């Protein structure tokens, strides 16, 4: 049996005959299962795929009926049921998408065998019968798979053209490349290949015309110039020089992100020879039928799992030229909860070049997009500190050229049962332990006192982390003898609670306490107070604020802690610690520092975050409602953030800390909680992290109600309403906004009342309740005018104009937009014009003035180009596509629809479905796939 996804869904039996499938929802169900072949799909995912967010009362029963029908059509053993969900059992060669990915992986790895690579690519492309999952692209659970497969098809075409050009077959590819550059005008690789083909047959003038064409398209559509490769090629054409050498097939496509995320190697690595050899056995061989290798490295904390994984990963990194990914899953962490698979997928996708706003909101779609992106790449994935197999499964790559290494204290038996290679690390033997001490302390010093060395090794119990800490301390001690070290260990034998049941001789607490006690008072105090930080990493200024000292003093202490192996420098100016050491710091702080001192340290840390986040958020949006921020405590040092780029970078780096800090502050520091929440919402909105935004707002609302600041309460209610509207939870959103309106009215806050009233109008517009929306938006306009808020009035006029277009009053809408443009210009806010130009374009479209409409949409896109507001970019693209279609420009409409669909799909927006329907309506005139 064969199942086809590379075109309309089809099933072919062993005799080559089509299998008749039940229509409608059973076909959708089969497509979802096929996209996840071999992996269970939870019933809730299937229900959402079939009915969206409004399933029938007996949805689960209906799914069982559909599965029954499919089993009859496919054979009773094809669809199984596991506790995690339904699973479709297929061999790799029974699914065309899997075969396509395998062939593409062969082509990518056969860089030294061009004939073999070309044959693999031709076989891969021959599998395509039309657009992937034709007719099913509107299903949310399938959208990412369809988009990912299409991207892989284009990459395969690019590599095939490179091989043909390398053979000198310039004439034979020109026609096909011309068609593709018309179909994908923004894809520079096709343009460059066409230019090289034309040069190869002596048509340099036409090659120069191709460059000018793409330059104009990029300038008009995106406001960008061609990339450096295309510019260099153009320069060579103008000079009549040979074209620059083409990229070697195999690495990622031009422009793709190549992540290099491995942490630094641990200095002085020794031992583990057997384990390194076992890992070497798992290196990919290029066999497309071989399962993706997975190694699990397990053992107790401090045994050296991460050290081994990272050391080996660095040693073989060149075997994975498409990147090395690393994620700390925090499975066994004394402070942080384990990273959810969906959050880890977001980190992986971001590392692979997916913008945060484009990461699908649905976990299943994230997993599909992740597997699609790595399917034809050679990528090494290191998943560190996993809590169990369930956390890891969605993160394992599926490409034949990939390899995954997982570390955990858990044996991960579930992964081993599925074929992973388990490596159970044990303690160092005497030779390995002595080797570590020799590498850190020098052979002569270790050889000088063999009895003391044996005592140290015995008391450390062969635990690599304990040996490393002892070696670090001994390296800086004033006495050369190791006998004192051994004696100190013998006088302080206690246990860490986290190692209950383990031989006390292997307990690292003794080592940690001994290393800690020789720290100076300031460094020891900072070490304890770092336990207050929510993690995972602390910056220099955050550490200084925790301790209430100058950054220079904190930097000295941090360096001393690194020298003692109690901290590691995770990156420039960022510090982290092993989870056992952090647990030890928590114990010390609770035993040594008064609760009031620890609470004051937390307050200073929260001040540091608030007084960095608030100036940073103003750089992202200077027109936002001001937040009343309390002055910082003495000795608080914010991080320097001077421009918008630095603000975004700071929020990106500190996002996990900020989310944890808001939650932590909610318990005992309510003012900090709502101030920090208000300082994060613009960033979370701009990057499309609406569930996270809703979570911090919920904590902020509870906190501000305890402090009694009703103006801030109204603002948070308004922001919650807007965010709930983004998530299509309209009833909840309306309730929050009405509460905000009442609060603003009670407070006599005209601007706030106008804000909430206008936001309620936006929500009602989104729900299709246009008359109510018009009433609220007009009321907001009047309120802004009375308050003298010109920008607010102009924004509301834009909303009125939009509603006028929705109710057929197009001439009135154009007049209203004219007034809004005047007010924005008067207020000196040209950046606010995008929405008005979009509405103008819609009005002109409905009046049949297509050229004018397209011009207005172009103005709107120009003003959105650098804002990061991708949702609105997609809306404008959709509107322009409608106009181009009405004007008879099917190719232009198709391009705009596709670009909008890509954005909407990445955001998980419902608008994607209507765009897919528009593309389907254009399918009859779509160019045939090459």
């Amino acid at each position: 049996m064969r199942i086809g996804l590379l075109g309309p869904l089809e099933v072919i039996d062993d005799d080559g005959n089509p299998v008749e499938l039940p229509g409608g929802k059973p076909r959708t169900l089969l497509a979802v299962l096929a996209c996840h072949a071999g992996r269970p799909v939870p019933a809730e995912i299937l229900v959402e795929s079939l009915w969206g967010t409004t399933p029938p009362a007996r949805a689960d029963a209906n799914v069982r009926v559909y599965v029954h029908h499919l089993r009859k059509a496919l054979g009773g053993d094809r669809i199984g049921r596991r506790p995690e969900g339904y699973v479709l059992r297929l061999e790799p060669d029974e699914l065309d998408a899997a075969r396509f990915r395998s062939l593409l992986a062969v082509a990518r790895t056969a860089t030294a065998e061009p004939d073999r690579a070309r044959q693999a690519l031709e076989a891969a492309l021959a599998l395509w019968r039309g657009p992937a999952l034709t007719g099913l692209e509107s299903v949310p659970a399938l959208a990412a798979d369809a988009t990912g497969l299409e991207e892989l098809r284009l990459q395969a075409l690019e590599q095939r053209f490179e091989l043909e050009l390398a053979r000198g077959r310039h004439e034979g590819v020109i026609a096909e490349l011309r068609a593709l550059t018309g179909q994908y005008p923004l894809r520079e690789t096709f343009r460059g290949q066409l230019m090289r083909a034309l040069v190869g047959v002596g048509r340099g003038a036409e090659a120069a015309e191709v460059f000018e064409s793409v330059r104009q398209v990029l300038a008009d559509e995106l406001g960008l110039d061609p990339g450096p490769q295309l510019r260099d090629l153009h320069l060579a054409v103008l000079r009549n020089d040979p074209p620059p050498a083409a990229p070697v097939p195999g690495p990622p496509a031009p422009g793709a992100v190549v992540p290099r995320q491995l942490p630094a190697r641990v200095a002085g690595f020794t031992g583990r020879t057997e384990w390194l050899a076992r890992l070497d056995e798992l290196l990919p061989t290029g066999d497309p039928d071989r399962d993706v290798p997975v190694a699990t490295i397990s053992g107790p904390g401090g045994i050296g799992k991460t050290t081994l994984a990272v050391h080996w990963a660095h040693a073989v990194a060149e075997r994975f030229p498409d990147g090395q990914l690393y994620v700390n899953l925090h499975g066994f962490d004394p402070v942080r909860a384990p990273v959810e698979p969906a959050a880890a997928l977001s980190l992986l996708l971001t590392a692979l070049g997916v913008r945060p706003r484009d990461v699908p909101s649905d976990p299943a779609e994230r997993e599909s997009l992740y597997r699609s992106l790595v399917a034809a790449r050679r990528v090494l994935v290191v998943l560190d500190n996993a809590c169990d197999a369930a956390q890891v499964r969605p993160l394992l790559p599926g490409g034949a050229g990939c390899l995954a290494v997982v570390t955990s204290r858990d044996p991960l038996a579930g992964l081993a049962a599925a074929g992973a290679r388990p490596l159970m690390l044990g303690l160092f033997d005497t030779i390995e332990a002595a080797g570590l001490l020799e590498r850190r302390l020098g052979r002569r010093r270790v050889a000088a006192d063999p009895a003391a060395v044996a005592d140290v090794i015995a008391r450390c119990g062969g635990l690599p982390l304990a040996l490393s800490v002892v070696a670090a301390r001994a390296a800086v001690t004033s006495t050369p003898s190791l006998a004192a070290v051994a004696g100190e260990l013998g006088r302080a034998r206690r246990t860490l609670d986290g190692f209950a049941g383990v031989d006390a001789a292997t307990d690292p607490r003794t080592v940690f306490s001994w290393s800690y006690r020789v720290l100076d008072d300031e460094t020891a105090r900072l070490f304890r107070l770092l336990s207050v930080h929510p993690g995972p990493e602390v910056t220099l200024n955050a550490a200084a604020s925790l301790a209430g000292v100058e950054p220079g003093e904190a930097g000295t202490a941090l360096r001393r802690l690194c020298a003692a192996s109690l901290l590691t420098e995770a990156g420039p100016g960022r510090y982290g610690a092993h989870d056992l050491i952090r647990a030890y710091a928590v114990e010390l702080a609770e035993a040594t520092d008064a609760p009031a001192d620890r609470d004051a340290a937390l307050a200073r840390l929260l001040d540091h975050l608030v007084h960095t986040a608030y100036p940073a958020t103003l750089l992202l949006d200077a027109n936002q409602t001001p937040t009343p921020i309390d002055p910082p405590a003495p000795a608080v040092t914010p991080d320097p953030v001077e421009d918008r780029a630095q603000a975004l970078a700071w929020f990106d780096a500190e996002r996990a800390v900020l989310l944890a800090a808001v939650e932590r502050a909610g318990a005992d520091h309510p003012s900090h909680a709502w101030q920090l929440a208000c300082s994060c919402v613009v960033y979370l909105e701009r990057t499309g992290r609406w569930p996270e935004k809703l979570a911090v707002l919920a904590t902020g609302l509870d906190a501000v109600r305890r402090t009694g600041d009703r103006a801030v309460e109204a603002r948070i209610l308004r922001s919650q309403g807007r965010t709930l509207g983004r998530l299509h939870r309209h009833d909840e959103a309306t309730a929050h906004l009405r509460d905000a309106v009442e609060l603003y009215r009670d407070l006599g806050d005209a601007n706030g009342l106008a804000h909430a009233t206008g936001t309620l109008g936006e929500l009602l517009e989104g729900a299709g309740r246009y008359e109510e929306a018009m009433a609220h938006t007009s009321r907001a306009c009047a309120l802004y005018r009375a308050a003298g808020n010109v920008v607010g009035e102009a924004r509301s006029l834009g909303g009125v104009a939009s509603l006028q277009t929705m109710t057929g009053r197009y001439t009135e809408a154009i007049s209203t937009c004219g007034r809004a443009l005047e007010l924005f210009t008067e207020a000196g806010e040209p950046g606010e014009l995008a929405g008005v130009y979009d509405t103008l374009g819609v009005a002109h479209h409905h009046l049949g003035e297509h050229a004018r409409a397209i011009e207005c949409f172009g103005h709107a896109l120009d003003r959105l180009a650098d804002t990061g507001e991708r949702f609105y970019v997609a809306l404008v693209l959709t509107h322009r596509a409608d106009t181009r279609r009405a004007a008879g420009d099917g190719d232009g409409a198709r391009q705009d629809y596709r670009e909008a669909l890509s954005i909407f799909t990445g955001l998980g927006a419902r608008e994607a479905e209507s765009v897919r329907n528009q593309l389907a309506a254009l399918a009859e005139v779509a160019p045939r796939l090459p």
Side-chain angles (χ1 to χ4, degrees):
M1 185 180 72
R2 299 193 310 277
I3 293 182
L5 302 179
L6 304 181
L9 175 67
E10 70 171 11
V11 180
I12 306 297
D13 65 20
D14 292 337
D15 297 324
N17 300 314
V19 175
E20 186 175 348
L21 295 172
K25 287 184 168 51
R27 290 179 63 86
T28 301
L29 179 64
L30 176 60
V32 175
L33 292 174
C35 285
H36 298 78
R39 291 174 285 133
V41 182
E44 56 267 26
I45 298 297
L46 296 175
V47 168
E48 184 175 354
S49 300
L50 296 174
W51 293 284
T53 58
T54 56
R58 293 178 53 79
D60 289 342
N62 290 343
V63 169
R64 290 194 293 271
V65 171
Y66 299 153
V67 169
H68 172 72
H69 291 318
L70 289 173
R71 283 172 173 161
K72 290 178 63 178
L74 305 178
D77 61 341
R78 286 291 184 174
I79 301 179
R81 180 68 189 269
R82 298 180 187 173
E84 306 99 313
Y86 292 96
V87 60
L88 177 64
R89 302 186 181 98
L90 292 176
E91 295 299 324
D93 61 348
E94 291 183 320
L95 184 67
D96 63 355
R99 182 63 179 159
F100 170 73
R101 290 188 177 104
S102 296
L103 289 166
L104 193 53
V106 170
R108 286 290 182 88
T109 56
T111 54
E113 303 175 80
D115 289 339
R116 180 173 177 234
R118 185 175 60 257
Q119 291 170 5
L121 289 167
E122 290 173 350
L125 291 166
L127 294 170
W128 285 75
R129 298 168 288 107
L133 296 162
T134 301
L136 295 172
E137 306 95 325
S138 62
V139 179
L142 299 175
D145 292 279
T147 301
L149 287 167
E150 172 64 11
E151 173 59 28
L152 290 178
R153 185 183 73 86
L154 296 177
Q155 291 180 18
L157 284 168
E158 290 170 348
Q159 187 177 351
R160 179 167 67 83
F161 288 131
E162 288 296 345
L163 292 171
E164 293 298 313
L165 291 171
R167 296 173 68 196
R169 297 190 59 190
H170 302 93
E171 186 74 45
V173 299
I174 290 175
E176 192 175 359
L177 280 168
R178 282 200 185 277
L180 285 166
T181 55
Q183 188 177 356
Y184 304 97
L186 299 179
R187 202 169 183 98
E188 294 187 39
T189 304
F190 288 149
R191 300 273 191 167
Q193 290 170 333
L194 176 57
M195 291 175 66
R196 286 162 48 212
L198 290 167
V199 170
V201 295
R203 293 154 65 179
E206 292 180 56
E209 290 178 0
V210 171
F211 178 83
E212 180 58 28
S213 172
V214 70
R215 188 198 64 76
Q216 189 65 47
V217 168
L218 290 171
D220 292 346
E221 299 289 337
L222 304 176
L224 299 175
D225 292 325
Q229 291 182 354
L230 214 55
R231 295 199 304 271
D232 291 345
L233 179 56
H234 180 237
L235 186 60
V237 171
L238 296 178
R239 292 175 173 173
N240 203 26
D241 292 338
V248 177
V257 173
V258 180
R260 311 290 187 193
Q261 294 189 313
L262 296 177
R265 302 186 203 220
V266 173
F269 179 88
T270 189
R272 304 301 193 197
T273 304
E274 176 186 354
W275 307 107
L276 292 171
R278 291 189 186 184
L279 287 167
D280 286 341
E281 293 171 1
L282 296 176
L283 287 168
T285 62
D287 181 359
D289 296 323
R290 182 185 182 187
D291 292 336
V292 178
V294 178
T296 62
I297 303 175
S298 56
I303 201 68
K305 303 180 293 294
T306 300
T307 299
L308 172 63
V310 170
H311 178 85
W312 181 79
H314 276 286
V316 300
E318 64 180 15
R319 300 284 295 272
F320 300 92
D322 297 337
Q324 303 90 47
L325 297 167
Y326 173 87
V327 180
N328 186 344
L329 297 173
H330 295 285
F332 296 86
D333 192 301
V335 178
R336 292 192 61 188
V339 177
E340 292 295 329
L345 283 168
S346 180
L347 295 173
L348 291 167
L349 289 171
T350 303
L352 290 166
V354 179
R355 291 179 55 156
R357 295 179 71 95
D358 297 336
V359 173
S361 58
D362 179 73
E365 292 183 21
R366 290 187 187 183
E367 183 178 347
S368 295
L369 180 57
Y370 167 61
R371 294 184 192 281
S372 296
L373 289 176
V374 301
R377 299 186 185 185
R378 288 169 291 171
V379 176
L380 175 63
V381 182
V382 179
L383 303 172
D384 194 17
N385 195 10
C387 62
D388 53 34
Q391 185 188 29
V392 170
R393 284 193 186 96
L395 314 180
L396 298 177
C402 298
L403 187 149
V405 179
V406 187
T407 74
S408 178
R409 296 185 193 177
D410 187 279
L412 301 177
L415 294 183
R421 177 77 63 86
L423 305 179
M424 300 287 293
L425 286 193
L427 300 169
F428 271 178
D429 59 26
T430 302
I431 295 175
E432 289 176 315
L436 185 151
L437 293 176
E438 286 182 358
R439 293 290 297 270
R440 305 290 178 86
L441 302 176
R443 181 173 298 177
R444 179 178 300 178
R445 186 176 179 189
V446 171
D449 200 343
V453 169
D455 197 6
V456 167
I457 292 173
R459 294 190 184 282
C460 288
L463 189 68
L465 179 62
L467 286 161
S468 297
V469 175
V470 170
R473 174 56 188 159
V476 298
T477 188
S478 58
T479 175
S481 173
L482 292 178
V485 175
E488 188 69 23
L489 290 174
R491 290 190 292 271
R493 300 186 63 181
R494 293 181 293 169
T495 60
L496 278 173
D497 294 340
F499 273 77
V502 179
D503 187 343
T506 67
D507 182 2
R509 178 186 273 132
T510 300
V511 177
F512 298 156
S513 64
W514 177 76
S515 184
Y516 164 78
R517 286 202 305 272
V518 298
L519 298 173
D520 61 81
D521 291 344
E522 292 78 10
T523 304
R525 176 173 175 270
L526 175 60
F527 176 66
R528 297 194 306 271
L529 292 181
L530 286 173
S531 66
V532 174
H533 193 280
E537 297 168 357
V538 63
T539 64
L540 170 63
N541 287 347
S545 299
L546 268 171
V549 299
E550 292 296 320
E553 184 178 343
T556 299
L558 288 169
R559 288 191 293 273
R560 288 172 179 168
L561 290 172
C562 287
S565 292
L566 291 173
L567 284 185
T568 57
E569 190 167 7
R574 304 187 68 83
Y575 299 86
H578 188 280
D579 51 4
L580 295 178
I581 297 176
R582 293 177 64 193
Y584 180 64
V586 170
E587 290 183 0
L588 284 175
E590 292 176 348
T592 307
D593 299 298
D597 292 338
R598 300 200 304 273
D599 192 64
L602 175 60
R604 288 192 298 270
L605 172 66
L606 295 172
D607 274 348
H608 158 82
L609 293 172
V610 168
H611 285 272
T612 307
Y614 186 58
T617 194
L618 291 177
L619 289 169
L620 299 183
D621 181 7
N623 291 320
Q624 63 182 282
T625 302
T627 300
I629 301 296
D630 294 333
V636 168
T637 306
D639 287 327
V641 179
E642 297 179 358
D643 55 36
R644 187 176 185 275
Q646 288 185 5
L648 284 171
W650 185 85
F651 275 117
D652 286 340
E654 295 293 300
R655 182 173 63 89
V657 174
L658 292 166
L659 297 177
V662 171
E663 183 177 358
R664 181 87 170 267
D668 300 309
H669 295 266
S671 293
H672 284 106
W674 63 255
Q675 290 171 23
L676 195 54
C678 290
S679 299
C680 293
V681 293
V682 170
Y683 165 75
L684 296 173
E685 169 80 18
R686 293 285 176 87
T687 55
R689 304 180 189 278
W690 296 318
E692 292 179 4
K693 179 185 174 188
L694 196 61
V696 300
L697 286 171
T699 302
L701 181 62
D702 178 71
V704 79
R705 283 174 171 167
R706 285 152 52 200
T707 63
D709 193 321
R710 301 186 72 208
V712 175
E713 179 183 353
R715 176 185 172 187
I716 292 178
L717 283 167
R718 176 171 61 86
S719 189
Q720 279 184 311
R722 182 181 180 87
T723 308
L724 288 164
R726 295 280 198 195
L727 297 170
H728 303 285
R729 293 160 60 178
H730 293 294
D731 290 343
E732 296 173 73
T734 302
H736 281 74
L737 287 170
R738 293 193 188 283
D739 288 346
V741 167
E742 291 303 317
L743 259 180
Y744 280 129
R745 185 176 289 120
D746 291 346
L747 293 167
D749 184 343
N751 267 310
L753 180 59
H755 289 332
T757 304
T759 305
L760 186 55
E762 294 175 18
L763 177 67
L764 291 167
E765 176 185 330
R769 295 157 62 178
Y770 299 133
E771 293 303 323
E772 296 174 75
M774 180 68 82
H776 282 83
T777 307
S778 298
R779 173 63 176 158
C781 188
L783 289 169
Y784 281 127
R785 189 180 304 115
N789 187 332
V790 176
V791 172
E793 181 185 355
R795 287 173 173 170
S796 293
L797 280 172
V800 169
S802 177
L803 287 162
Q804 287 169 337
T805 65
M806 294 177 185
T807 53
R809 296 150 61 185
Y810 307 120
T811 303
E812 293 179 49
I814 292 173
S815 176
T816 304
C817 285
R819 177 58 180 155
L821 290 173
E822 291 175 3
L823 289 178
F824 278 133
T825 303
E826 174 187 331
E829 294 288 347
E832 298 275 358
L833 300 178
V836 183
Y837 277 120
D838 179 50
T839 304
L840 271 173
V842 172
H844 284 296
H845 164 87
H846 286 287
L847 291 173
E849 300 167 353
H850 297 144
R852 178 62 178 142
I854 291 172
E855 180 183 356
C856 289
F857 293 135
H859 290 321
L861 290 169
D862 288 343
R863 283 157 178 79
L864 288 169
D866 298 323
T867 66
E869 297 282 354
R870 290 180 58 77
F871 181 86
Y872 297 109
V873 169
L875 281 180
V876 178
L877 285 168
T878 303
H879 296 158
R880 188 172 69 179
D882 293 340
T883 302
R884 284 178 163 173
R885 182 181 177 191
D889 181 8
D891 290 340
R894 191 176 297 108
Q895 178 62 36
D896 280 349
Y897 281 138
R898 284 175 173 164
E899 191 173 347
L901 177 61
S902 176
I903 296 172
F904 281 140
T905 301
L907 293 174
R910 290 187 176 183
E911 288 77 4
E913 183 172 359
S914 65
V915 177
R916 290 191 190 96
N917 292 336
Q918 297 298 331
L919 276 171
L922 287 171
E924 293 184 0
V925 295
R928 298 293 296 173
L929 283 168

